[in-house]
Structure formats: structure tokens, C-alpha cells
Amino acid sequence: MAIESARAELTALLGPGFRDDPVNRMLYRTDASIYEIEPLGAAFPRDAAQVESLTKIAAKHGFALLPRGGGTSLAGQSVGACLHVDYSVHMNRVLEVNREERWACVQPGVVLDELNARLKPDGLQFGPDVSTSSRANLGGMIGNNSCGARSLVYGKTIDHVLELDVVFADGVRTRLGPVDEAERRSRGESAGIEGAIYRKIGQIAERYRDEIDSRFPKLMRRVSGYNLDEFVGGDRPFDLTKVVVGSEGTLCSVVEAKLNLVEVPDQKVIIACQFADIVQAMEANLLILETEPASIELVDKLLLDQTRGQLEHESRRWFLQDDPEAILFVEYAGSDLDHLIQRGRELEQQLRRQQMGYAFVHAETAAAQQDMWELRKAGLGLLMRMKGDAKPQPGIEDTSVPVEALPQYIREVRDLMAEMNVTADYYGHASVGVIHIRPVIDLKVPEGIQRLRMLEERMADLVAAHGGAISAEHGDGLARSEWIERMFGQQLVQAFAEVKATFDPQGIMNPGKIVAPPRMDENLRYGDGYAQSAPINSYFRYEEAGGFQAAVELCSGVGHCRKKLVGTMCPSYMVTLDEQHSTRGRANALRAALAGRMPEPGLASEELHEVMDLCLECKACKAECPSSVDMAKLKSEFLAHYHAKHGFPQRSHLFARIDRINRLLAPFAAMVNPILQSAPNRWLMERLFGIDRRRRMPALARQRFSRWLGVRDVQAGGQTVVLFNDTFTEFNHPEVGQAATALLERAGFTVKLPRTSICCGRPLISKGFLDKARRQVNANIDSLMPYAEADSSVVVLEPSCLSAFQDDYLDLASNAEAARKVAGTMVPLETFLAEHIRAHGVDMRFSSRSVQILYHGHCHQKAFTGTAHALEMLNLPPKYEATEVASGCCGMAGSFGYEVEHYDISQQVGQERLFDVISATDPAAEIAISGNSCRHQIADATGRRVRHWAEVVAEAL
């Protein structure tokens, strides 16, 4: 293999920025598409100079390069037997912003949302607004010629690229942009690839002018092939950026881009127009277009049904009326809100007069509009979480036809699906004729592959008959390059080959895309012959997913775990920007291990342990991943199998049985605490157990919570409520239990504890002691079952305990039905109190004292119940003003932050979005939390006093 001879040069150039080990080759096998190809390795250049040198090495040794950003391509553009050049790790900076002239210079690894966040204070943004904006790299958007929901207004990426710095396939770097004829001729006289391009591209376009005029679809949303239509007709300067944009990395590498910026509209309104029939929605689309909206987005019933019951999206379904087959989200934008509102009302009147649609919900606030857009943007990932091997497949999902043809086109597509007995999903940008159509097909069986191929052939012909395009925004890649000839004809395919040969005479730039592609049914991730693993004797049942392997395969590769600005998933990726520390990377590693593609197959691999190691088990992926990949549970399963072979470290035993250790040491708290906190003991703990000496173990309370509750002289009265006294409330922070008791009693309850005080089992589960955990789970269920049978609530203080009861128990307990009953009776303190106070009008008789509160929610709380009720409780006392930190994970994650090898990354996880925010807050402000881990992490990192929200609120009684 050519890269073998280049290894020494690549290592000398990139150092650790060159990786060709089995794990990294596995991580870059896939993207967000249905394809998978073993790469040569991965390279992480730090600057354009390294890209130049890297390209020269590739040209010298004859191996291929694949420019890559977020790996979110849906057509397989970022999959190939190449050295993947990942720009997202180091070349991810905004280099310059000119607010007056409205342009920005960026490196290719800049994420769209991060650029727009930088521009927001100036009222500017990059126009194309793709649904993957939280992780889509600008380099990838340039490569795909990406568009977005508002392309009626903003067009495509090609319309906003002013200049590009590129590295050609011979390693020469230059800047491309509009040039006059004199400069074009001058540049054409230079040697090498650059000179050939300036000489030949115009000639190629002119030679094929007639074919370009007759065969290129007359559509705005066409991204197939190379943009030769930009070089014929009209009086415009010669601009090679026009052919590089949309070339999918097959012509050169983009190392810098100068981009046009647009103003952010002052005001927007959205009308959710709901239809009982999707064809009628397409007919209404034509009428709506006459009103000049900013966008019209289609979502169908199949997609909407996927949002049912998912925590992140269930609350956003408020605007749905009855059960629409299709919704059109119509957006108007401008500066006059009253005028926009009136336009929305007039639209509703027009549609009602034409008897088009049956319900119209107007969203005039940013929050309501955000709900609608988030439900729309969730589309692809939510579809991929469908249970079973049959999934909504791409391939035909990026078609575009003239908008006036949409009603008939959808009729014909539905007839085709019925003929082939296939269910399909329909969503997309109705305003510009782009409908993403995804047939539900099982590609693990030969019949499924044959069916997808047949559908693609029929659809290519159908789209061509309507004068449409097979690639409207997601590109050609491995999925659609085979069908380019059906769309453009043989002569234009030859023209594209000539363009490719001019830019890339050795064929080293992302081969197999656009020009000389393989068949679309080759290189499938789940194709014929997919290596199904031998059944794993798992500890968890994974009933919801359909088994352990199915739970791993839920990851579709959309890369939502690579977002960095919002949410909690994935904390370690946000710090390292390393693919192996994303949820997607870990899922791919697990899948490879099950398929026997890791150096040591199965779940005992040291390499797999390295990939899983930085998973903080925050559970954010359970809620935030569109496919609900539960990596925390998968990691626990992995640890159980891994340690079954390699043995459990002593530190794991220590943390897993913290309940027993606390119970043994509690009577001697006065003597034990000084020893625990002492420098010699912390040094010894680091040497013996790997517990970082910079940490202080939580002190033991002088009086256990249960003892305090038992000796109180409280007049019994009112309804009794059971309070689950978790390990940390019982032994370390009884003040939390005392505050909860005060609040519950003031609300009219008498507090009692469960019959037995047993740890929830979370430490055992997290460390992989799943056999022991099951025994504890079963014991807890037996203990709590009487309350479930009596339909009584058991109030829980610690979010990680609650998530164990309501999530892990369901797949770990011996009796699943009993686990469900117990889970149904467990409720967080904040929810129990907020709902009771609201329902019964309880006067808590709070004092009036002004307090500013900054609140940080626990990861498990955010994933399963949300933080709204805690904030509601914090804002109950008069003059209490509580706001939530827009933070992710604090970084402690149970025992993770105590472990010496994880301490530094634990601090980095919480730094920017949590510690820095708290440090900048008024020192007089209260810092409130819900979880024990968060209490200690924030206190250690900021030096501030941190208390449970119940302590803060109880102080106002």
C-alpha cells in the first residue's frame, strides 16, 4: 500500500497528528450515510502549510486524500479508502470578521453555529442554515454546496463564497476568486496544476456549452456534478470558486474561505399549517409561495410520530392538532412584527377559503418558533431510531423538482412506493421543490439492497422526467454519483471527467465521487454479508432497542454528539474534539468490536477500553441523541464484560461500594474526617487507588440523616410521604434531607423513610458490577414495592438515583414488570412539591428577602426530568430570582473527576460554560445544584459555597 512507504514522512510532519492504528481507521470508516470503507488512517493538520506538505507527500507516494470536517455527509462523501484529513480538530478558527463590508474569513473546520454565535452581536449570520448547523463544518458546506431551510432568501453556499484558499493536488496553495480575462490568461501561463486549470476549465465549459444549456436542470436547488453552468452564458468574471464549491473534496483542499454575511431579520412569525393529505399540502405550497415567505418546510406524519414520548421533543408537540398527515411550517421574516402577524392571518384566511388545511397555529414568539424548528430539524436522527433492522434509507432522499410539479410528483412517488410495498417518509424544503424521501428498508438482507437499488433507478428516471435533480443539497457522494449520467447524459459525464483530470491528474483527491464512482449498492455499512456478532449474554435486556447489538446500531452517524455550544452531550468530545470521544465514535468502536474488526475482538479489548474510558456516563445521549443511543448503559455493559476477563481494579471496588464504606466509617466521623482530608492520606490514596490528591473525599456527617429524622419530636399530621434517603444524603449531607423534610412538612406532609435504607445501586452500575447491581436492584424493588402497590409516591433527592430507578432498573431487574411499577412511583422532590403546591394552592409562608440564585442542573436530571420544576421552586419565595446556567456537564460525573487520570479533563469539561460563569457572578449570589457530584465539583473549582436547591428554598421558610 502506497501509504506504508510514506509513514515516516507523515509522522515527521504531523507527529501525533497522524494516526493509522486500527482504532482510528475504524473511527473514520463511516459518516452519516449508509456507507463504510476502511480508510488508510487520519491526519489532523494544524495549519495550511501542513496541508501543503501533506498533499505533496500523497502525490509523491500515490495515496488518496479525503478532506473531512464533521463527517455529517449523508451521501458518503466523507467515506473512502483514503487518508482522511480532519480539519475539525485544529483548523477551526474564525480568522477575521469585517462587519462593515459584511464578510468573514474562516478555516474549514469552523462549525456553522459557532460562526453565527460570533456574528450574533453584530446582527449578522452566514446565510445557508442547514439543519446540522450545530456540527456542520463550513468546509463541508462548501464541499457539498449546502443550502438550508431559507434558500428562497439566501440561496446556496455557492452564492456566499467570495474567495477560497485552496491546496491543489500537487501541493501548491493559491487563492481563488473572481478574475478578469487578463489575470486569467496570466495565471494560465504558470506551470503545474494551477496553470492548467486556468487554461482548460473555460475551454471545457465552452466545448460542452450546448449540453450544459440543454441538460443542466433549470433549478436553483441542484448540486449534482460540477458547476460548469457557472462558466457559460452571462457577463460574469471567471471564478474558479464556482467549480470548487460542490466538488465534495474531489478537486482540491479548501484551507480558508472568505464568506459573504447577511443581516439577521429583526422579526419572524411561523404558521404551522396542518393537512390531512400530503398532496393537498403540496398544492397549498403553490398558493403560499405567492405570499413571498422566507421558507416553507414540510414534515410528515411518520416523522412526527417519532417525536412521541421523547423527553427532548414531547413538550414541543403542543401545536399539533388531531393527527396531521403533513405540516407546512411557513415563515415570514422582516422588521415589522405587526405586519408579519397580519400576513400570517391573511395566509390562514386564503387557505381556509380554498379549503386547504384544517388547522393553523401561529407562533409569534421566539420560544414557540424554536419548538417548531427543533421538531423539524430533529427529522433524520429521529427516523433512524426506528426499532428493528428496517430503517428509513437515503439514496433517493435528496431530489428536487420544479415546485409546480410537486403535487403530481408526490402522487407518482406514492404510487411507486405502493407498487413496491414500501413505507416512506417525506420531509424537506417544499418552498424550493426539495422533498427528502426515505423508504423504510432493511439493508441487512439481499432483497432490501435490491429494492433500494430498484427504487433509485426508478426515481432517477422519474426526477429526470420532471426536469428535476437527484441531488438538491446533500450531494452525490457514493449514493448518487452512479446516477449522474441519467441526469446529465454521457457527454457531460465526460466533461466532468475532464474537470477532474485537470484539477487532479493523479486521482488522489477523494476518488470515487462524482467521477468514476462505484455502484451505489457497494460498500454498504449494513450490506449483504454484514458481520452479525454472536449473541452477547448481556446483563441489561435492551428491550426498547431490541437487544445489545441493536442498541449499538442505533447510532446512525448524524454526529449530533459533536455539538459544542449547547446541551450536555458529549462532555469529553467538547474538550478533546477527538472523534473517539464522541458518542458516535464509541458506538462505531463497539460495533467494530462486535464484528471482530478490533485487534482483540469482543468486549474485552484494551483498545475498546481506551475509547470508552472518557465516557462520563452523563446520560445526555439518552435524551439529546436523536436516536437515543444510551452510551452510559453501553459503557456499564462493556465494563462488566471487560473486567470479567481482566479483573476489577481496587479503586472500582472502593467507589462501587461507597455505601458500605460510609456505613462502616460513619460512627467514627469525628476521627475519620481529619484523616480523609489530610495531605498524607490524599497522597496515599493517589498512590494506592489512583484517587487524585487534589481532591478531598466528601466528609462524613456527625449525625446520619435517618438518626436526625428518627429523634425529632414532630407532631404527625397530614398525608405521609416516603423520602428515599440516598447514600450521600444519609452519610455526607444530611442537611439536604433536613431541608427537604422542612419543605415537605410545610407543604402538609409527614415524612418517613423506606423500610430499609439501601443504596440505589448507581455506583455499582457505573463501575460495571452488574451482577452485584442486579441483586441490589432486586432488593430495592422488594423494599419499595409496597409503596408502588399502594400508589404512594417515593420522593428522590439525587438525580442519579432517580435515573437508576426509572431507566437502568427496567432492563436490569429480574422482574421487569415490578421494576416498571416501582419506577412509576419514584418522583424528584422538585416535581413532587411544585405540582402539589400548584394543584392545591399551598401557602408555603416564605419570608421576603432578596436573593440572586444561579442554578446548575445535574446531567441525569436534564436527561430524564428536566430542570423546570427546580427553577419553579427556587423562584417561589418572594424576591428570589433564580436563573439556570446554560451549562453542560460539570465534569465530576460520580467518581470520574476523582480519578487521577481524569482529573484534568474533568476540570476542562466544566470550565468555560460553568466555572467561568459562576466565577463572574456576584459573590453574594447563591449557587444551587441538585446533584451531589455537582456540589463538590463546583466548590472545588470555584471556591464558592454550593448548596442543594432545597437548602436554599428552605432557608426562606
Side-chain angles (χ1 to χ4, degrees):
M1 192 179 296
I3 198 170
E4 295 290 338
S5 61
R7 180 172 286 109
E9 292 177 68
L10 292 168
T11 302
L13 173 68
L14 299 168
F18 167 63
R19 304 178 193 170
D20 65 344
D21 58 280
V23 171
N24 276 280
R25 291 203 307 273
M26 172 275 304
L27 289 171
Y28 286 86
R29 287 175 67 99
T30 64
D31 56 6
S33 72
I34 59 176
Y35 296 98
E36 180 172 86
I37 297 175
E38 179 85 7
L40 303 179
F44 307 91
R46 291 186 171 274
D47 52 37
Q50 285 195 339
V51 178
E52 293 176 60
S53 300
L54 174 61
T55 307
K56 289 175 182 176
I57 294 172
K60 173 184 173 182
H61 292 274
F63 62 84
L65 299 175
L66 194 162
R68 178 175 167 130
T72 58
S73 296
L74 293 170
Q77 295 94 319
S78 49
V79 172
C82 314
L83 179 64
H84 288 231
V85 186
D86 188 338
Y87 292 99
S88 68
V89 178
H90 301 300
M91 296 181 66
N92 55 14
R93 292 182 296 129
V94 177
L95 301 173
E96 185 180 0
V97 174
N98 188 311
R99 292 159 179 81
E100 291 72 28
E101 298 179 16
R102 296 198 314 192
W103 54 260
C105 279
V106 302
Q107 292 180 313
V110 172
V111 173
L112 177 58
D113 274 357
E114 295 172 28
L115 171 63
N116 284 338
R118 166 87 175 266
L119 300 171
K120 186 176 181 179
D122 297 295
L124 298 174
Q125 67 179 36
F126 183 67
D129 52 342
V130 295
S131 62
T132 54
S133 60
S134 64
R135 65 270 191 201
N137 287 193
L138 268 299
M141 293 181 66
I142 292 167
N144 280 1
N145 196 7
S146 298
C147 310
R150 299 175 179 88
S151 57
L152 269 179
V153 178
Y154 301 127
K156 300 179 289 190
T157 295
I158 196 171
D159 303 311
H160 299 274
V161 171
L162 303 176
E163 296 176 353
L164 293 175
D165 267 26
V166 302
V167 175
F168 291 127
D170 57 2
V172 174
R173 178 184 177 185
T174 192
R175 172 152 289 212
L176 304 180
V179 298
D180 58 24
E181 183 60 19
E183 186 173 358
R184 184 187 71 81
R185 292 191 181 194
S186 174
R187 292 198 181 193
E189 293 173 358
S190 60
I193 289 176
E194 181 176 7
I197 292 169
Y198 276 97
R199 290 193 303 272
K200 294 182 179 180
I201 295 302
Q203 296 172 3
I204 294 170
E206 188 60 35
R207 189 159 60 249
Y208 293 95
R209 172 188 286 268
D210 291 343
E211 286 294 300
I212 292 170
D213 287 342
S214 63
R215 296 300 296 260
F216 266 65
K218 304 303 187 285
L219 295 169
M220 186 262 283
R221 295 295 291 266
R222 186 276 313 160
V223 299
S224 280
Y226 296 127
N227 298 316
L228 286 175
D229 56 326
E230 295 284 344
F231 297 88
V232 297
D235 183 19
R236 52 188 145 187
F238 186 86
D239 185 357
L240 285 173
T241 67
K242 301 300 185 183
V243 73
V244 171
V245 174
S247 64
E248 302 183 2
T250 63
L251 301 182
C252 57
S253 298
V254 175
V255 293
E256 187 178 317
K258 182 179 179 181
L259 305 173
N260 174 61
L261 305 176
V262 300
E263 292 184 357
V264 179
D266 294 331
Q267 304 290 343
K268 298 175 184 176
V269 298
I270 297 177
I271 304 91
C273 308
Q274 305 180 41
F275 300 86
D277 177 70
I278 190 171
V279 173
Q280 185 188 69
M282 295 301 91
E283 291 169 343
N285 180 58
L286 298 175
L287 187 151
I288 298 168
L289 281 170
E290 295 175 3
T291 69
E292 299 183 346
S295 68
I296 309 172
E297 293 292 289
L298 168 70
V299 179
D300 83 338
K301 175 177 166 54
L302 183 59
L303 185 148
L304 292 170
D305 286 347
Q306 304 306 308
T307 64
R308 293 183 192 275
Q310 192 181 46
L311 177 64
E312 189 178 8
H313 299 293
E314 181 66 40
S315 62
R316 294 175 175 145
R317 292 171 51 89
W318 58 268
F319 60 88
L320 299 180
Q321 297 188 15
D322 296 327
D323 192 18
E325 184 178 86
I327 286 184
L328 292 178
F329 293 117
V330 181
E331 180 181 270
Y332 295 104
S335 58
D336 186 337
L337 180 59
D338 291 338
H339 177 62
L340 299 178
I341 291 172
Q342 183 59 33
R343 288 176 67 185
R345 290 172 181 164
E346 290 172 356
L347 172 67
E348 177 179 349
Q349 292 170 4
Q350 285 181 275
L351 291 174
R352 288 192 183 278
R353 279 197 300 269
Q354 298 294 326
Q355 296 185 329
M356 291 179 170
Y358 67 85
F360 306 86
V361 178
H362 298 248
E364 297 165 4
T365 67
Q369 293 166 18
Q370 181 74 4
D371 284 345
M372 291 181 179
W373 279 121
E374 288 300 324
L375 209 67
R376 155 67 184 91
K377 290 172 72 172
L380 176 62
L382 288 169
L383 290 169
M384 296 310 293
R385 72 184 290 218
M386 291 178 67
K387 189 172 180 178
D389 289 334
K391 304 287 186 185
Q393 304 295 350
I396 64 172
E397 52 85 46
D398 197 30
T399 62
S400 175
V401 298
V403 288
E404 59 272 13
L406 270 180
Q408 181 59 26
Y409 173 68
I410 292 298
R411 289 189 188 96
E412 292 171 358
V413 171
R414 294 177 79 180
D415 289 344
L416 175 59
M417 297 299 166
E419 175 190 333
M420 301 190 69
N421 195 29
V422 170
T423 300
D425 175 70
Y426 304 80
Y427 66 102
H429 317 299
S431 57
V432 285
V434 178
I435 305 298
H436 300 310
I437 302 163
R438 285 188 162 239
V440 180
I441 297 174
D442 180 4
L443 294 184
K444 289 184 178 179
V445 296
E447 308 82 62
I449 299 171
Q450 294 165 10
R451 182 170 294 179
L452 180 61
R453 181 173 185 83
M454 189 181 304
L455 272 173
E456 290 204 21
E457 290 176 339
R458 298 276 297 275
M459 287 290 294
D461 292 337
L462 181 59
V463 170
H466 283 283
I470 56 171
S471 299
E473 63 179 346
H474 296 162
D476 295 321
L478 296 170
R480 286 176 287 275
S481 291
E482 184 182 359
W483 312 122
I484 285 178
E485 185 170 344
R486 293 194 181 209
M487 176 176 164
F488 290 107
Q490 190 173 11
Q491 289 190 55
L492 284 180
V493 167
Q494 176 59 33
F496 296 155
E498 292 177 24
V499 171
K500 169 73 171 173
T502 304
F503 271 87
D504 182 21
Q506 288 182 261
I508 65 169
M509 296 303 301
N510 198 11
K513 322 302 190 302
I514 302 178
V515 171
R519 286 168 54 101
M520 57 71 50
D521 49 0
E522 296 176 1
N523 307 305
L524 295 173
R525 188 191 309 186
Y526 299 119
D528 190 16
Y530 170 68
Q532 297 272 16
S533 69
I536 296 291
N537 187 20
S538 65
Y539 294 88
F540 289 107
R541 283 185 291 273
Y542 305 98
E543 288 184 344
E544 185 178 347
F548 177 69
Q549 179 151 343
V552 173
E553 292 174 355
L554 277 174
C555 176
S556 63
V558 296
H560 197 60
C561 45
R562 291 173 59 97
K563 58 188 172 63
K564 290 175 276 180
L565 294 184
V566 296
T568 302
M569 176 182 70
C570 177
S572 51
Y573 173 77
M574 291 181 182
V575 171
T576 67
L577 304 185
D578 192 325
E579 177 72 14
Q580 78 172 14
H581 299 140
S582 67
T583 303
R584 178 175 70 181
R586 295 185 183 109
N588 278 333
L590 281 167
R591 191 168 53 82
L594 294 175
R597 289 200 304 266
M598 296 287 274
E600 185 177 356
L603 299 182
S605 163
E606 293 285 0
E607 290 80 8
L608 185 56
H609 185 274
E610 183 180 346
V611 172
M612 301 298 291
D613 185 49
L614 293 190
C615 171
L616 280 75
E617 301 178 66
C618 65
K619 288 282 189 180
C621 47
K622 174 83 173 181
E624 294 178 26
C625 169
S627 300
S628 293
V629 175
D630 190 347
M631 191 52 62
K633 189 175 291 185
L634 294 173
K635 180 182 180 180
S636 297
E637 186 76 52
F638 161 72
L639 289 175
H641 291 268
Y642 177 83
H643 290 308
K645 178 176 180 180
H646 298 285
F648 283 88
Q650 286 301 312
R651 184 177 65 190
S652 292
H653 285 281
L654 183 68
F655 282 126
R657 295 323 312 238
I658 193 67
D659 60 321
R660 291 187 177 182
I661 294 170
N662 280 351
R663 191 182 299 275
L664 287 171
L665 296 180
F668 314 104
M671 179 176 63
V672 168
N673 283 336
I675 297 173
L676 281 177
Q677 308 298 322
S678 70
N681 180 70
R682 287 186 279 121
W683 175 87
L684 187 64
M685 295 287 279
E686 181 172 294
R687 292 295 299 271
L688 293 179
F689 301 111
I691 297 174
D692 198 284
R693 72 181 73 183
R694 288 167 287 187
R695 293 290 188 191
R696 285 174 167 79
M697 299 296 284
L700 292 162
R702 296 293 185 94
Q703 185 184 39
R704 292 165 55 172
F705 171 61
S706 58
R707 298 267 173 86
W708 173 86
L709 191 67
V711 300
R712 292 173 73 236
D713 183 18
V714 177
Q715 194 73 28
Q719 185 180 348
T720 298
V721 66
V722 178
L723 180 64
F724 183 81
N725 53 324
D726 61 86
T727 297
F728 300 106
T729 299
E730 175 70 5
F731 296 109
N732 303 107
H733 294 289
E735 64 271 20
V736 176
Q738 293 164 10
T741 301
L743 291 171
L744 288 165
E745 289 177 346
R746 180 62 61 89
F749 295 94
T750 296
V751 176
K752 74 173 184 178
L753 303 182
R755 292 185 303 168
T756 55
S757 177
I758 304 174
C759 175
C760 70
R762 168 61 64 202
L764 285 167
I765 294 169
S766 296
K767 289 300 177 186
F769 292 92
L770 298 185
D771 258 344
K772 291 184 174 66
R774 180 178 287 118
R775 290 195 290 272
Q776 190 145 323
V777 164
N778 292 337
N780 279 351
I781 289 173
D782 290 342
S783 172
L784 296 168
M785 183 55 73
Y787 309 117
E789 291 175 339
D791 201 24
S792 299
S793 294
V794 177
V795 174
V796 184
L797 298 171
E798 173 61 40
S800 60
C801 291
L802 185 70
S803 70
F805 286 121
Q806 295 188 335
D807 181 49
D808 298 279
Y809 276 36
L810 305 184
D811 275 344
L812 191 57
S814 299
N815 186 332
E817 183 56 34
R820 277 190 285 272
K821 285 184 179 178
V822 168
T825 202
M826 314 302 285
V827 59
L829 174 68
E830 58 267 27
T831 299
F832 181 84
L833 280 172
E835 291 182 348
H836 177 77
I837 292 169
R838 203 184 314 122
H840 299 282
V842 177
D843 180 8
M844 296 292 285
R845 303 193 305 282
F846 287 118
S847 61
S848 181
R849 180 173 68 93
S850 295
V851 177
Q852 180 190 356
I853 305 162
L854 205 58
Y855 175 72
H856 166 73
H858 187 281
C859 293
H860 289 207
Q861 176 189 21
K862 288 185 246 188
F864 289 97
T865 60
T867 57
H869 285 139
L871 284 165
E872 184 177 343
M873 289 301 302
L874 281 166
N875 282 301
L876 275 182
K879 299 185 181 180
Y880 270 35
E881 295 182 8
T883 58
E884 184 174 6
V885 186
S887 56
C889 178
C890 73
M892 183 65 89
S895 65
F896 181 90
Y898 285 93
E899 296 163 353
V900 65
E901 71 273 24
H902 297 146
Y903 177 86
D904 289 336
I905 199 165
S906 164
Q907 296 298 102
Q908 293 170 44
V909 165
Q911 190 66 49
E912 185 175 348
R913 292 173 59 198
L914 180 57
F915 307 155
D916 288 351
V917 175
I918 289 174
S919 296
T921 302
D922 185 346
E926 288 276 4
I927 310 301
I929 46 83
S930 290
N932 181 70
S933 293
C934 308
R935 171 194 292 263
H936 292 278
Q937 175 76 329
I938 295 171
D940 285 354
T942 67
R944 297 285 291 268
R945 183 176 77 152
V946 184
R947 295 194 293 168
H948 193 279
W949 70 260
E951 296 177 77
V952 177
V953 175
E955 202 168 63
L957 290 174

